[in-house]
Amino acid sequence: MEIGGYIEFPHYTGTVYHDKAIALNCARNCLEYVIEAKHIKRISIPKFLCGSVGYKCREKNVEVSYYSIGMDLLPKNLKLNSDEWLYLVNYYGQVDNEKIKEIKKNNNNLIVDNVEAFFQLPLDGVDTIYTCRKYFGVPDGGYLYTDAFIERTLEEDKSAEKMRHLLGRFENTANEFYSTYKENESLFKNLSLKRMSKITANIMRSYDYNEVKTVREKNYIYLHEKLSKYNKLLLKTPIGAFMYPLYVSNASHVRKKLQRKNIYIPVLWPDVLKVCNESELEYDMANNILPLPCDQRYSLETMEYIASEVEKCLN
């Protein structure tokens, strides 16, 4: 214990939303934890997914197969072996717990990826994965619900060196620190399985989760009211929405025009464009879904501006 000296970053005393979960250093390492704890040897993952999941599975010597999804964002034509696990992605929070229950009945070996559904609590007995950094200003962090535990003791991660892009954008612009952000993202590929860092765990105690959830839902509803007539997806309002997925035919054109207005819309999973051919639905979705921001940083006035600029591009 050190007494005196300069004053450090404040220690927050609030509660975390996922207080009953195992707190680890990132979502892909939550998957590694489940693989190790449950001795998983075979897994089926969607084609429409970040390449890091398949990479993590192969790194842990898990045999990977792929399945397709439909316009409802659900698996189609699933044919799994008895020892094969299903990795179910809850895209944009559109797969509610009732649907997960149905899927679980036919696929007992189930892992749910709630990376895009932070506020959707897990079903009992279903291994479920969450991320922190897609929802909050933290450098890393993930939560895992599981009924199995690994036998080794995990080291605690350190995050001080991964804060630069967050602190930089706080005082400057996102553009100035985008390369630093990308450098930080690249670290996750080789990040070993550890417990959540003190910094991330502390920041996650600073949020008013009810307020965050409410703002996200209001913003999502506004965008849906204004833009649903252009959207190929039939959507419902998720709990504490991640982003608003606008599926159109000319997304690259819209994305470039919005960027000129300092509205940055990512291609979430560019790896899909490399592994799928152009005739596959997943390729078109990766290319043409515009994930519009609707998070707690923004007001309804900002949503009005985004919707207006999108409509100009589409018209």
Side-chain angles (χ1 to χ4, degrees):
M1 181 178 180
E2 297 177 318
I3 299 173
Y6 62 89
I7 296 176
E8 73 274 20
F9 197 78
H11 291 262
Y12 297 109
T13 57
T15 57
V16 297
Y17 191 78
H18 291 291
D19 60 341
K20 293 180 173 60
I22 300 169
L24 299 172
N25 57 344
C26 67
R28 68 190 71 180
N29 283 343
C30 292
L31 174 58
E32 178 178 338
Y33 190 106
V34 177
I35 289 171
E36 184 174 334
K38 299 209 166 178
H39 311 290
I40 295 172
K41 299 300 181 186
R42 303 175 73 182
I43 193 167
S44 184
I45 66 176
K47 296 176 182 178
F48 189 46
L49 185 61
C50 172
S52 64
V53 173
Y55 177 86
K56 176 60 71 176
C57 292
R58 285 184 285 270
E59 182 187 59
K60 306 314 293 183
N61 298 313
V62 177
E63 182 183 331
V64 177
S65 63
Y66 292 89
Y67 65 84
S68 297
I69 61 168
M71 282 292 291
D72 57 1
L73 303 176
L74 292 169
K76 65 176 189 179
N77 303 324
L78 275 180
K79 293 179 181 177
L80 305 184
N81 294 301
S82 58
D83 64 340
E84 194 168 9
W85 285 71
L86 172 63
Y87 191 84
L88 177 70
V89 178
N90 187 355
Y91 299 103
Y92 299 98
Q94 293 298 303
V95 186
D96 61 30
N97 281 355
E98 286 304 310
K99 180 56 69 175
I100 293 172
K101 277 183 188 175
E102 288 179 30
I103 294 170
K104 172 74 171 173
K105 286 177 184 175
N106 297 317
N107 303 276
N108 191 51
N109 294 335
L110 176 65
I111 300 170
V112 173
D113 178 329
N114 267 352
V115 163
E116 296 183 355
F118 183 89
F119 290 95
Q120 185 172 322
L121 292 172
L123 289 171
D124 288 341
V126 177
D127 298 310
T128 308
I129 294 168
Y130 298 85
T131 187
C132 301
R133 61 196 173 92
K134 290 186 183 296
Y135 275 76
F136 303 99
V138 291
D140 46 33
Y143 292 114
L144 169 66
Y145 290 83
T146 185
D147 57 4
F149 302 95
I150 62 176
E151 296 176 357
R152 59 193 172 101
T153 301
L154 296 178
E155 179 187 347
E156 186 177 73
D157 207 347
K158 305 285 186 184
S159 296
E161 300 302 319
K162 293 181 265 182
M163 292 290 291
R164 188 165 178 263
H165 66 290
L166 296 169
L167 299 175
R169 183 173 185 178
F170 189 85
E171 293 185 326
N172 299 282
T173 66
N175 258 336
E176 288 176 83
F177 283 84
Y178 183 70
S179 61
T180 309
Y181 161 74
K182 293 299 289 182
E183 288 170 13
N184 191 68
E185 288 291 294
S186 69
L187 297 175
F188 287 92
K189 183 174 183 179
N190 298 309
L191 193 66
S192 58
L193 172 58
K194 296 180 181 179
R195 289 182 289 122
M196 185 182 288
S197 72
K198 284 188 174 74
I199 288 176
T200 299
N202 183 47
I203 295 173
M204 292 302 291
R205 292 187 177 277
S206 71
Y207 293 101
D208 181 338
Y209 288 102
N210 284 332
E211 176 67 14
V212 170
K213 175 176 167 294
T214 299
V215 171
R216 284 175 170 270
E217 288 171 2
K218 284 181 178 178
N219 287 342
Y220 182 99
I221 289 167
Y222 183 91
L223 290 177
H224 190 55
E225 287 174 349
K226 295 293 182 181
L227 300 174
S228 60
K229 60 188 174 184
Y230 305 105
N231 204 335
K232 295 181 184 180
L233 295 173
L234 295 176
L235 300 171
K236 56 192 172 189
T237 302
I239 304 166
F242 169 54
M243 303 177 96
Y244 180 75
L246 179 62
Y247 188 10
V248 292
S249 298
N250 54 345
S252 58
H253 164 76
V254 177
R255 188 178 279 110
K256 287 175 184 175
K257 285 202 163 189
L258 292 177
Q259 188 174 0
R260 296 188 198 117
K261 297 282 187 176
N262 291 334
I263 301 172
Y264 307 125
I265 311 300
V267 177
L268 285 186
W269 294 323
D271 293 337
V272 176
L273 302 176
K274 300 173 187 174
V275 300
C276 292
N277 62 58
E278 293 185 21
S279 64
E280 292 181 276
L281 176 63
E282 288 86 353
Y283 184 98
D284 195 63
M285 282 183 164
N287 214 26
N288 287 311
I289 289 180
L290 295 165
L292 302 179
C294 63
D295 58 75
Q296 63 270 17
R297 295 172 290 178
Y298 306 116
S299 63
L300 288 178
E301 287 73 23
T302 307
M303 295 302 103
E304 182 180 8
Y305 174 67
I306 291 172
S308 172
E309 292 302 320
V310 169
E311 285 201 279
K312 287 178 188 176
C313 296
L314 293 174
N315 292 329

